[in-house]
Amino acid sequence: MEVSPIFCGGYLNYMEETKFNYAHNDTSAPERKSRTAGLNKLRVSAEVEQLRISAHEREVPTASEETLNFILALALAKNAENILEVGCAEGITSLALLNTCSRAHLTAIERDQAFFCAAQTNLSAYEGRRTLLSGDAADICKGLATEAYDFIFLDCAKVQYIKLLPELKRILKKNGVLLADDVLMYGWVNGEVETPKKRRMLVEHIREYLEAVTSDGQLATSVLDIGNGLAMSVKRN
């Protein structure tokens, strides 16, 4: 069932008049350049590529080429059938995942109303294979079925990662993958770049998440130097 209390009429006009304000305004450039960024080549449909270009022009965040390339490769290797994306923004990564995993059903959660409307538009061709949920991820995840998903991509507000972890573990299938984005955050988290004073609490929340997943006996976790940092956790049997 699709949960959508949001009226999306006039969305296109709204988007043409709106610019989003993020810490990383030039979203066409990587937030943090990894050592392998130049070696990875993203291959996506023309539609996904055009949506990515549009997002860059409007300063809307979307996964870097290297990050999206890894997400798609991992989902394909996993042969993912039930995907959850927490924080889907305009649904560009969701669309790429649906294109890549042809048998998968994808559930996406987004709190921002403008992004949610964009995701509805961008994923309109996949109504039978996607479920869009609008609202707070912490509340929505509590209502999702235990061990419902074999692939979870976590890319919402970073301070929420540690709070969401217990529910994400509950709804993740055994041998399922939980992939968390932006865990190195500009290089602040691992100390390669000094953390600005106003971002120290954010960095502590991310470090708390990393400590939790790398210490959890239910999870096998590897922190990867890909894009702005990925934490890949696999739920043990």
Coordinates of all heavy atoms in Angstrom, one line a residue, residues 64-124:
S64 N 27.0 10.0 -5.4 CA 28.1 10.2 -6.4 C 28.2 9.0 -7.3 O 27.6 8.0 -7.1 CB 29.5 10.3 -5.6 OG 29.8 9.0 -5.1
E65 N 28.9 9.2 -8.5 CA 29.0 8.1 -9.5 C 29.6 6.9 -8.8 O 29.1 5.8 -9.1 CB 29.9 8.6 -10.6 CG 29.2 9.6 -11.5 CD 30.0 9.8 -12.8 OE1 31.0 9.1 -13.0 OE2 29.6 10.7 -13.6
E66 N 30.6 7.0 -8.1 CA 31.3 5.8 -7.5 C 30.4 5.1 -6.5 O 30.3 3.9 -6.5 CB 32.6 6.2 -6.8 CG 33.4 5.0 -6.3 CD 34.6 5.4 -5.5 OE1 34.6 6.5 -4.9 OE2 35.6 4.7 -5.6
T67 N 29.7 5.9 -5.7 CA 28.8 5.3 -4.7 C 27.6 4.6 -5.4 O 27.3 3.4 -5.0 CB 28.2 6.4 -3.8 OG1 29.3 7.0 -3.0 CG2 27.2 5.8 -2.8
L68 N 27.0 5.2 -6.3 CA 25.9 4.6 -7.0 C 26.3 3.4 -7.8 O 25.6 2.3 -7.8 CB 25.2 5.6 -8.0 CG 24.0 5.1 -8.7 CD1 22.9 4.6 -7.8 CD2 23.4 6.2 -9.7
N69 N 27.5 3.4 -8.4 CA 28.1 2.3 -9.1 C 28.2 1.1 -8.1 O 27.8 -0.1 -8.5 CB 29.4 2.6 -9.6 CG 30.0 1.5 -10.5 OD1 29.5 1.2 -11.6 ND2 31.1 0.9 -10.0
F70 N 28.7 1.3 -6.9 CA 28.8 0.2 -5.9 C 27.5 -0.3 -5.5 O 27.3 -1.5 -5.3 CB 29.6 0.7 -4.7 CG 29.9 -0.4 -3.7 CD1 30.9 -1.3 -3.9 CD2 29.1 -0.5 -2.6 CE1 31.1 -2.4 -3.0 CE2 29.3 -1.5 -1.7 CZ 30.3 -2.5 -1.9
I71 N 26.5 0.6 -5.2 CA 25.2 0.2 -4.7 C 24.6 -0.8 -5.8 O 24.0 -1.8 -5.4 CB 24.3 1.4 -4.6 CG1 24.8 2.3 -3.4 CG2 22.8 1.0 -4.3 CD1 24.1 3.7 -3.4
L72 N 24.7 -0.4 -7.0 CA 24.0 -1.2 -8.1 C 24.7 -2.5 -8.2 O 24.1 -3.6 -8.4 CB 24.0 -0.4 -9.4 CG 23.3 0.9 -9.4 CD1 23.3 1.5 -10.8 CD2 21.8 0.7 -9.0
A73 N 26.1 -2.5 -8.2 CA 26.8 -3.8 -8.3 C 26.5 -4.7 -7.1 O 26.3 -5.9 -7.3 CB 28.3 -3.5 -8.4
L74 N 26.4 -4.2 -5.9 CA 26.2 -5.0 -4.8 C 24.7 -5.6 -4.8 O 24.5 -6.7 -4.5 CB 26.4 -4.2 -3.5 CG 26.2 -4.9 -2.2 CD1 27.2 -6.1 -2.0 CD2 26.4 -3.9 -1.0
A75 N 23.8 -4.7 -5.2 CA 22.4 -5.2 -5.2 C 22.2 -6.3 -6.3 O 21.5 -7.3 -6.1 CB 21.5 -4.0 -5.6
L76 N 23.0 -6.1 -7.4 CA 22.9 -7.1 -8.5 C 23.6 -8.4 -8.0 O 23.0 -9.5 -8.2 CB 23.6 -6.6 -9.7 CG 23.6 -7.5 -11.0 CD1 22.1 -7.6 -11.4 CD2 24.4 -6.8 -12.1
A77 N 24.7 -8.3 -7.3 CA 25.4 -9.5 -6.8 C 24.5 -10.2 -5.8 O 24.5 -11.5 -5.7 CB 26.7 -9.1 -6.2
K78 N 23.8 -9.4 -5.0 CA 22.9 -10.0 -3.9 C 21.6 -10.6 -4.6 O 20.9 -11.4 -3.9 CB 22.5 -8.9 -3.0 CG 21.6 -9.3 -1.9 CD 22.1 -10.3 -0.9 CE 21.1 -10.7 0.1 NZ 21.6 -11.9 0.9
N79 N 21.4 -10.2 -5.8 CA 20.1 -10.6 -6.5 C 18.9 -10.2 -5.6 O 18.0 -10.9 -5.3 CB 20.1 -12.1 -6.7 CG 19.0 -12.5 -7.7 OD1 18.5 -11.7 -8.5 ND2 18.5 -13.8 -7.6
A80 N 19.0 -8.9 -5.2 CA 18.0 -8.3 -4.3 C 16.6 -8.4 -4.8 O 16.4 -8.1 -6.0 CB 18.4 -6.9 -4.0
E81 N 15.7 -8.9 -4.0 CA 14.3 -9.0 -4.4 C 13.4 -8.0 -3.6 O 12.3 -7.6 -4.1 CB 13.8 -10.4 -4.1 CG 14.5 -11.4 -5.0 CD 14.0 -12.8 -4.8 OE1 13.2 -13.1 -3.9 OE2 14.4 -13.7 -5.6
N82 N 13.8 -7.7 -2.4 CA 13.0 -6.7 -1.6 C 14.0 -5.7 -1.0 O 14.7 -6.0 -0.1 CB 12.3 -7.5 -0.4 CG 11.1 -8.3 -0.9 OD1 10.1 -7.8 -1.3 ND2 11.3 -9.6 -0.9
I83 N 13.9 -4.5 -1.6 CA 14.8 -3.4 -1.3 C 14.1 -2.3 -0.5 O 12.9 -2.0 -0.8 CB 15.4 -2.8 -2.6 CG1 16.1 -3.9 -3.4 CG2 16.3 -1.6 -2.3 CD1 16.5 -3.4 -4.8
L84 N 14.8 -1.8 0.5 CA 14.3 -0.6 1.2 C 15.3 0.5 1.1 O 16.5 0.3 1.4 CB 14.1 -1.0 2.7 CG 13.7 0.2 3.6 CD1 12.3 0.7 3.3 CD2 13.7 -0.3 5.1
E85 N 14.9 1.6 0.7 CA 15.7 2.8 0.7 C 15.2 3.8 1.7 O 14.0 4.3 1.6 CB 15.8 3.5 -0.7 CG 16.8 4.6 -0.7 CD 17.0 5.2 -2.1 OE1 16.3 4.8 -3.1 OE2 17.8 6.1 -2.3
V86 N 16.0 4.1 2.7 CA 15.6 5.1 3.8 C 16.2 6.4 3.4 O 17.4 6.6 3.6 CB 16.1 4.6 5.1 CG1 15.5 5.5 6.2 CG2 15.6 3.1 5.4
G87 N 15.4 7.3 3.0 CA 15.8 8.6 2.5 C 16.1 8.6 1.0 O 17.2 8.6 0.6
C88 N 15.0 8.6 0.2 CA 15.2 8.4 -1.2 C 15.3 9.7 -2.0 O 15.6 9.6 -3.2 CB 14.1 7.6 -1.8 SG 12.5 8.4 -1.9
A89 N 15.1 10.8 -1.3 CA 15.1 12.1 -2.0 C 14.2 12.1 -3.3 O 13.1 11.7 -3.1 CB 16.6 12.6 -2.4
E90 N 14.7 12.4 -4.4 CA 13.9 12.4 -5.6 C 13.7 11.0 -6.3 O 13.1 10.9 -7.4 CB 14.4 13.4 -6.6 CG 14.4 14.8 -6.1 CD 14.7 15.8 -7.2 OE1 15.4 15.5 -8.2 OE2 14.3 17.0 -7.1
G91 N 14.2 10.0 -5.7 CA 14.0 8.6 -6.2 C 15.0 8.2 -7.3 O 14.7 7.3 -8.0
I92 N 16.1 8.9 -7.5 CA 17.0 8.6 -8.6 C 17.7 7.3 -8.3 O 17.8 6.5 -9.2 CB 18.0 9.8 -8.8 CG1 17.2 11.1 -9.1 CG2 19.0 9.4 -9.9 CD1 18.1 12.3 -9.2
T93 N 18.2 7.1 -7.1 CA 18.9 5.8 -6.8 C 17.8 4.7 -6.8 O 18.1 3.6 -7.3 CB 19.5 5.9 -5.4 OG1 20.6 6.9 -5.4 CG2 20.1 4.6 -5.0
S94 N 16.6 5.0 -6.4 CA 15.5 4.0 -6.4 C 15.3 3.5 -7.9 O 15.2 2.3 -8.1 CB 14.3 4.6 -5.9 OG 14.4 4.9 -4.5
L95 N 15.2 4.5 -8.8 CA 15.0 4.2 -10.2 C 16.1 3.3 -10.7 O 15.9 2.3 -11.4 CB 14.9 5.5 -11.0 CG 14.6 5.3 -12.5 CD1 13.3 4.5 -12.8 CD2 14.6 6.7 -13.1
A96 N 17.4 3.7 -10.4 CA 18.5 2.9 -10.9 C 18.5 1.5 -10.3 O 18.8 0.5 -11.0 CB 19.8 3.6 -10.5
L97 N 18.1 1.3 -9.1 CA 18.0 0.0 -8.5 C 16.9 -0.8 -9.2 O 17.1 -2.0 -9.4 CB 17.7 0.1 -7.0 CG 18.9 0.4 -6.1 CD1 18.5 0.9 -4.7 CD2 19.8 -0.8 -6.0
L98 N 15.8 -0.2 -9.5 CA 14.7 -1.0 -10.1 C 15.1 -1.4 -11.5 O 14.7 -2.4 -12.0 CB 13.4 -0.1 -10.1 CG 12.7 0.0 -8.8 CD1 11.6 1.1 -8.9 CD2 12.1 -1.3 -8.4
N99 N 15.8 -0.5 -12.2 CA 16.3 -0.8 -13.5 C 17.3 -2.0 -13.5 O 17.4 -2.9 -14.4 CB 17.0 0.4 -14.2 CG 16.1 1.4 -14.6 OD1 14.9 1.2 -14.8 ND2 16.5 2.6 -14.8
T100 N 18.2 -2.0 -12.4 CA 19.2 -3.0 -12.3 C 18.7 -4.3 -11.8 O 19.1 -5.4 -12.3 CB 20.3 -2.5 -11.4 OG1 20.9 -1.3 -11.9 CG2 21.4 -3.5 -11.2
C101 N 17.9 -4.3 -10.8 CA 17.3 -5.5 -10.2 C 15.9 -5.7 -10.8 O 14.9 -5.3 -10.2 CB 17.3 -5.4 -8.7 SG 18.9 -5.1 -8.0
S102 N 15.8 -6.4 -11.9 CA 14.6 -6.5 -12.7 C 13.4 -7.2 -12.0 O 12.3 -7.0 -12.3 CB 14.8 -7.1 -14.0 OG 15.3 -8.4 -13.9
R103 N 13.7 -8.0 -11.0 CA 12.7 -8.7 -10.3 C 12.4 -8.2 -8.9 O 11.5 -8.7 -8.2 CB 13.1 -10.2 -10.1 CG 13.2 -11.0 -11.4 CD 13.4 -12.5 -11.2 NE 14.6 -12.7 -10.4 CZ 14.9 -13.9 -10.0 NH1 14.1 -15.0 -10.2 NH2 16.1 -14.1 -9.3
A104 N 13.0 -7.1 -8.5 CA 12.9 -6.6 -7.2 C 11.7 -5.7 -7.0 O 11.2 -5.0 -7.9 CB 14.2 -5.8 -6.8
H105 N 11.2 -5.7 -5.8 CA 10.2 -4.7 -5.3 C 10.9 -3.7 -4.4 O 11.7 -4.2 -3.5 CB 9.0 -5.3 -4.6 CG 8.0 -4.3 -4.2 ND1 8.1 -3.5 -3.1 CD2 6.8 -3.9 -4.8 CE1 7.1 -2.7 -3.0 NE2 6.3 -2.9 -4.1
L106 N 10.8 -2.5 -4.6 CA 11.5 -1.5 -3.8 C 10.5 -0.6 -3.0 O 9.5 -0.1 -3.5 CB 12.3 -0.5 -4.7 CG 13.1 0.5 -4.0 CD1 14.5 0.7 -4.7 CD2 12.4 1.9 -4.0
T107 N 10.8 -0.5 -1.7 CA 10.1 0.4 -0.8 C 11.0 1.6 -0.5 O 12.1 1.4 -0.1 CB 9.7 -0.3 0.5 OG1 8.8 -1.4 0.2 CG2 8.9 0.6 1.4
A108 N 10.5 2.8 -0.6 CA 11.3 4.0 -0.4 C 10.6 4.9 0.6 O 9.4 5.1 0.5 CB 11.6 4.7 -1.7
I109 N 11.4 5.4 1.6 CA 10.9 6.4 2.6 C 11.5 7.7 2.4 O 12.7 7.9 2.2 CB 11.2 5.9 4.0 CG1 10.7 4.5 4.3 CG2 10.7 6.9 5.1 CD1 11.1 3.8 5.6
E110 N 10.6 8.8 2.4 CA 11.1 10.1 2.3 C 10.3 11.1 3.1 O 9.0 11.0 3.0 CB 11.1 10.6 0.8 CG 11.6 12.0 0.6 CD 12.9 12.3 1.2 OE1 13.9 11.5 1.0 OE2 13.0 13.3 2.0
R111 N 10.9 11.9 3.9 CA 10.2 12.9 4.7 C 9.9 14.2 4.1 O 8.8 14.8 4.3 CB 11.0 13.1 6.0 CG 10.3 14.0 7.0 CD 11.2 14.1 8.3 NE 12.5 14.7 8.0 CZ 13.4 14.9 8.9 NH1 13.2 14.5 10.2 NH2 14.6 15.4 8.6
D112 N 10.8 14.7 3.2 CA 10.6 16.0 2.6 C 9.5 15.9 1.5 O 9.5 15.0 0.7 CB 12.0 16.4 1.9 CG 11.9 17.7 1.3 OD1 11.4 17.8 0.1 OD2 12.2 18.7 1.9
Q113 N 8.6 16.8 1.6 CA 7.4 16.7 0.7 C 7.7 16.9 -0.7 O 7.2 16.3 -1.6 CB 6.4 17.8 1.2 CG 5.8 17.4 2.5 CD 4.6 18.4 2.9 OE1 4.2 19.1 2.1 NE2 4.2 18.3 4.1
A114 N 8.6 17.9 -1.0 CA 9.0 18.2 -2.4 C 9.7 17.0 -3.0 O 9.5 16.6 -4.2 CB 9.9 19.4 -2.5
F115 N 10.6 16.4 -2.3 CA 11.4 15.2 -2.7 C 10.4 14.0 -2.9 O 10.5 13.3 -3.9 CB 12.4 14.8 -1.7 CG 13.6 15.7 -1.7 CD1 14.6 15.6 -0.7 CD2 13.9 16.6 -2.7 CE1 15.7 16.4 -0.7 CE2 15.0 17.4 -2.7 CZ 15.9 17.3 -1.7
F116 N 9.5 13.9 -2.0 CA 8.5 12.8 -2.1 C 7.7 12.9 -3.4 O 7.5 11.9 -4.1 CB 7.6 12.8 -0.9 CG 6.6 11.6 -0.9 CD1 6.9 10.4 -0.5 CD2 5.3 11.8 -1.4 CE1 6.0 9.3 -0.5 CE2 4.3 10.8 -1.4 CZ 4.7 9.6 -1.0
C117 N 7.3 14.1 -3.7 CA 6.5 14.3 -5.0 C 7.4 14.0 -6.2 O 6.9 13.5 -7.2 CB 6.0 15.8 -5.0 SG 4.7 16.1 -3.8
A118 N 8.6 14.4 -6.1 CA 9.5 14.1 -7.2 C 9.7 12.6 -7.4 O 9.7 12.1 -8.6 CB 10.9 14.8 -7.0
A119 N 9.8 11.9 -6.3 CA 10.0 10.5 -6.4 C 8.8 9.8 -7.0 O 8.9 8.9 -7.8 CB 10.3 9.9 -5.0
Q120 N 7.6 10.3 -6.7 CA 6.4 9.8 -7.3 C 6.4 9.9 -8.8 O 6.0 9.0 -9.5 CB 5.1 10.5 -6.7 CG 4.8 10.0 -5.3 CD 3.4 10.6 -4.8 OE1 3.2 11.8 -5.0 NE2 2.6 9.8 -4.3
T121 N 6.8 11.1 -9.2 CA 6.9 11.4 -10.6 C 8.0 10.5 -11.3 O 7.7 9.9 -12.3 CB 7.2 12.8 -10.9 OG1 6.2 13.7 -10.4 CG2 7.3 13.1 -12.4
N122 N 9.1 10.5 -10.7 CA 10.3 9.7 -11.3 C 10.1 8.2 -11.4 O 10.7 7.5 -12.2 CB 11.6 10.1 -10.6 CG 12.0 11.5 -10.8 OD1 11.6 12.2 -11.8 ND2 12.7 12.1 -9.9
L123 N 9.3 7.7 -10.4 CA 9.0 6.3 -10.4 C 7.7 5.9 -10.9 O 7.2 4.8 -10.6 CB 9.2 5.8 -8.9 CG 10.6 6.0 -8.3 CD1 10.6 5.7 -6.8 CD2 11.7 5.2 -9.1
S124 N 7.0 6.8 -11.6 CA 5.6 6.5 -12.0 C 5.5 5.3 -12.9 O 4.4 4.6 -12.9 CB 5.0 7.7 -12.7 OG 5.8 8.1 -13.8

